[in-house]
Amino acid sequence: RRLDAAGRYVLPGLIDSHVHFRTPGLEYKEDWEHGSAAALAGGVTTVMDMPNTRPPGLDEDAMRAKAELVAGHAGVDHRFHIGADPANTELLATLDPEVATSAKVFMAGHHTAPVVFRDRAQLDAVFADAARGGVRLVLHAEDQHVFDLLDSWRGDPHSYGEYEPHRPRSGAIVAVAHVVELVRRHGTAAHVLHTSSAEEIDLLVAAAREGLPVSFEVTGHHLSFTHADTCRRGPRTRLSPAIRGEADRERLWRAVLSGEAATAGSDHAPHTVEEKNRPPVDAPPGLPGVQELAVSIWTGMRARDVPADEAVRHLARLMGSGPADLFELPGKGRLEPGADADLVVFDPAERWQMSAADVRSKCGWSAYEGWTFTGRVVTTVRAGRVAWDVRTGLHTPADGRWLPTARRLEALR
Ligand code: NCD
Ligand code: ZN
Ligand code: ZN
């Protein structure tokens, strides 16, 4: 098949280091066939999947079992973040790097968290053990007081406008300050996921300047929407941590354009329409996004007058070299000799409106329905073959690989 890249950009196959593809146990929301299709349509050829499944992925056996379940169903290459278990943080001190080199920590008892670090001693232990094992922590940094406030909320159970302000920014800021303190004590590599506020970023940038091994992610959702969207449109833009106001969003954009943010992730977290239509107190937080991540970031950069030649470098860093370096993904994230044959042909100028018919996620809806994007993924090549073409659709053999680590390849050399 011919690639037509005239007047278009060629990017490395993109990496989304934060997806919830819901296997095992939650396949009614999403599965690897649909998740892969959404990824490829969005230019993503490699994903890193989260452990808040049923059962949760908390040990090496669970990770190996997941790899087996996924084999033959994934159209994208993949690695997994193991879930840090408060009852067994010692595992991280000896974790086999073949299985995982990063662990997700849920710092508070939020709706979709499988396990929760309830006290300071547990958090201290996970940072100490991860440092000993050379494991990078990826953190859902929210403090328990937010969720306690939510539990005690007695307002109109159907009003998002009333409910949302009861998820204060302070919950994320307090938690990030705690992360920085623990990194200073133990030297653990820590990547804060889905940053939502200016203060979180200021704290992390200051810590990185101090020389601490901290980094952070921005999500397409926190870059695209504001609190006003959630009040107006309700559950479809509701996730944890909450989407904040305009000033916070612009600080996130500054982190993108200054190079402060290390990765952009989708936090692709599908839930069914029925689940999302429940009153806010019962509706799970999270929304799909792997398909929309690159184009939403492109749209936002162009709306902020970032020249296309600069924008393409930001995208190639945030969804390419950034996650490839942080998560040790050899052959991924860069177009260079020896790299895997994963690439994206991207039209920088096409404007198109997303409709429900475009949605590839099994949940069948997107918060971006009705949005007009600037920029389009024309073709996605994975493992040397066209896997997505905007004219002919998906061509996806389910031959995605569970990726070996750089450490393993080095040992073999
Ligand atoms: C995620 C989910 O539904 O799995 N939800 C969310 O609001 N972000 C969980 C998570 O990323 O913490
Ligand atoms: Zn999270
Ligand atoms: Zn997530």
Side-chain angles (χ1 to χ4, degrees), residues 227-243:
H227 174 66
D229 292 309
T230 313
C231 293
R232 205 168 38 241
R233 302 160 44 146
R236 288 194 173 193
T237 55
R238 212 183 124 239
L239 74 152
S240 285
I243 288 172

Side-chain angles (χ1 to χ4, degrees), residues 8 29 44 66 73 122 124 148 152 221 251-252 288 294 300 323 330 338 383 391 409:
R8 293 165 173 167
K29 298 175 195 268
V44 170
K66 177 150 98 174
H73 298 275
Q122 285 176 337
D124 201 74
D148 295 344
S152 63
H221 302 143
R251 180 67 187 90
L252 296 182
R391 288 151 305 178
L409 294 183

Side-chain angles (χ1 to χ4, degrees), residues 18 20 104 106 110 140 193-194 240-241 267:
H18 186 167
H20 302 262
K104 179 154 185 186
F106 290 88
H110 94 75
H140 188 114
L193 301 168
H194 38 44
S240 285
D267 191 7

Side-chain angles (χ1 to χ4, degrees), residues 82-117:
I82 197 171
D85 181 351
N88 184 22
T89 61
E90 312 87 71
L91 168 63
L92 300 188
T94 58
L95 186 64
D96 178 355
E98 273 311 280
V99 171
T101 54
S102 52
K104 179 154 185 186
V105 178
F106 290 88
M107 287 175 72
H110 94 75
H111 206 118
T112 51
V115 284
V116 175
F117 285 77

Side-chain angles (χ1 to χ4, degrees), residues 34-46 75-76 290-291 344 377 379-382 387-389 394-397:
H34 288 85
S36 299
L40 292 164
V44 170
T45 53
T46 300
V76 291
V290 66
Q291 186 176 349
V344 174
V377 175
T379 310
T380 305
V381 172
R382 194 190 67 80
W388 158 260
D389 188 280
L394 289 156
H395 317 271
T396 52

Side-chain angles (χ1 to χ4, degrees), residues 194-210:
H194 38 44
T195 48
S196 63
S197 68
E199 286 91 335
E200 289 164 66
I201 293 177
D202 291 342
L203 283 166
L204 291 165
V205 168
R209 285 216 186 98
E210 220 182 283

Side-chain angles (χ1 to χ4, degrees), residues 230-269:
T230 313
C231 293
R232 205 168 38 241
R233 302 160 44 146
R236 288 194 173 193
T237 55
R238 212 183 124 239
L239 74 152
S240 285
I243 288 172
R244 321 284 179 194
E246 189 63 42
D248 286 317
R249 179 171 67 167
E250 291 317 303
R251 180 67 187 90
L252 296 182
W253 275 110
R254 198 143 59 75
V256 165
L257 302 177
S258 64
E260 290 164 339
T263 65
S266 67
D267 191 7
H268 178 82

